[in-house]
C-alpha cells in the first residue's frame, strides 16, 4: 500500500460551521486494504460533529516518497471505537519531492563514540543534512543526532551515516538518515515546506 505506515501523520480537511474549511492532525493507527483507521486527537472533541459517517474529506499524508493527497470519506465517525476513513490507492496523488533540500542554519548536535559535539546545518531535507563541523568525520561513521528546529518544542532525533562526498568544502559534511521515526522526519519536512513557502512569497513580492 504505497508508503503509508502506522504512526505517520495524516492531515484531514473538511467543512466546518458555515462551510468554513477545517483541518485536523491525526495519526495513522491501522492500515486496511481499502480504509485507514486514524487516531483521533483528544483535544478536538468539538470537531467530531462535522465528521459523521459519509462526510467527504480530503487527506494528506507525509511519506518517505512525498506528500500523498487523496479524496476520502468518513466510514466510522470519531465517536465509534475507531475513526475510519476510506482509502482507494488508485485515487492517490503522490507529490514526489525526493526530499528537496532547503537552506537553513541551525544547531545540530551529533554523538559519535559517546562524544557529543555541536555542528551547524547548511541545508536540510527529509533524507539527510548538510552541515559544517570542526570535528573531523569519516565516511560510513554512524552518528546519533538532534536537529533543533524553531517551530518545535523538541529537536528532531535520528541515527545517520556520514556520506562520502568529495565535492564538499573543508569542514563540510553530509549525512543520510538510517533510522528516524516518521514523526521526527515530519518535523523536518514541515520545516522545509515552510522555508520554501517563505522563499516563494519573497520572490512574488519582488
Amino acid at each position: 500500500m504505497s508508503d503509508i505506515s502506522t504512526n505517520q501523520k495524516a492531515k484531514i480537511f473538511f467543512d466546518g460551521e458555515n462551510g468554513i474549511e477545517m483541518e485536523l492532525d491525526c495519526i495513522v493507527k491501522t492500515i486496511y486494504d481499502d480504509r485507514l483507521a486514524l487516531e483521533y486527537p483528544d483535544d478536538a472533541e468539538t470537531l467530531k460533529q462535522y465528521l459523521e459517517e459519509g462526510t467527504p474529506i480530503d487527506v494528506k499524508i507525509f511519506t518517505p516518497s512525498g506528500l500523498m493527497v487523496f479524496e476520502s470519506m468518513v466510514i466510522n465517525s470519531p465517536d465509534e471505537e475507531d475513526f475510519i476513513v476510506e482509502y482507494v490507492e488508485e485515487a492517490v496523488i503522490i507529490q514526489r519531492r525526493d526530499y528537496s533540500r532547503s537552506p537553513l542554519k541551525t544547531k545540530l548536535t551529533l554523538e559519535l563514540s559517546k562524544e557529543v559535539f555541536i555542528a551547524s546545518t547548511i541545508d536540510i531535507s527529509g533524507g539527510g543534512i548538510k552541515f559544517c563541523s570542526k570535528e573531523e568525520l569519516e565516511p560510513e561513521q554512524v552518528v546519533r543526532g538532534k536537529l533543533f528546529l524553531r517551530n518545535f518544542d523538541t529537536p528532531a532525533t535520528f541515527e545517520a551515516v556520514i556520506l562520502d562526498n568529495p565535492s564538499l568544502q573543508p569542514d563540510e559534511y553530509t549525512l543520510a538518515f538510517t533510522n528516524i521515526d516518521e514523526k521526527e522526519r515530519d518535523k523536518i519536512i514541515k520545516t522545509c515546506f515552510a522555508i520554501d513557502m517563505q522563499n516563494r512569497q519573497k520572490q512574488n513580492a519582488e
Side-chain angles (χ1 to χ4, degrees), residues 62-73:
F62 292 99
T63 79
S65 294
L67 180 64
M68 297 182 62
V69 182
F70 57 95
E71 295 180 350
S72 181
M73 179 180 67

Side-chain angles (χ1 to χ4, degrees), residues 38-186:
L38 304 179
E39 185 176 320
Y40 192 84
D42 294 334
D43 59 354
E45 185 72 25
T46 58
L47 298 181
K48 289 183 177 180
Q49 60 181 310
Y50 305 113
L51 293 169
E52 296 178 350
E53 180 181 342
T55 301
I57 61 174
D58 292 324
V59 181
K60 294 182 180 179
I61 300 178
F62 292 99
T63 79
S65 294
L67 180 64
M68 297 182 62
V69 182
F70 57 95
E71 295 180 350
S72 181
M73 179 180 67
V74 176
I75 296 177
N76 287 356
S77 74
D79 282 324
E80 300 186 47
E81 184 175 352
D82 279 328
F83 176 38
I84 296 179
V85 302
E86 182 183 32
Y87 175 84
V88 180
E89 191 165 2
E90 290 76 12
V92 169
I93 300 173
I94 301 182
Q95 300 175 357
R96 298 188 185 276
R97 300 180 59 86
D98 293 326
Y99 293 137
S100 61
R101 292 186 173 273
S102 298
L104 177 66
K105 186 174 182 180
T106 189
K107 179 182 175 182
L108 172 70
T109 63
L110 297 174
E111 180 182 346
L112 176 65
S113 301
K114 297 185 179 181
E115 178 186 358
V116 178
F117 57 94
I118 298 175
S120 179
T121 64
I122 298 171
D123 59 44
I124 64 172
S125 78
I129 302 171
K130 181 179 178 182
F131 63 99
C132 184
S133 173
K134 298 299 182 182
E135 183 81 12
E136 187 173 347
L137 299 170
E138 299 293 336
E140 299 187 9
Q141 285 182 318
V142 176
V143 297
R144 295 176 181 269
K146 293 182 180 180
L147 176 63
F148 293 80
L149 301 170
R150 179 180 302 175
N151 294 327
F152 295 94
D153 295 333
T154 58
T157 59
F158 59 85
E159 292 182 5
V161 62
I162 304 299
L163 301 179
D164 185 9
N165 192 338
S167 66
L168 296 177
Q169 299 297 316
D171 296 336
E172 289 185 355
Y173 300 92
T174 55
L175 60 78
F177 302 134
T178 56
N179 187 9
I180 181 170
D181 188 277
E182 288 306 318
K183 292 181 180 179
E184 303 297 87
R185 195 195 304 271
D186 191 36

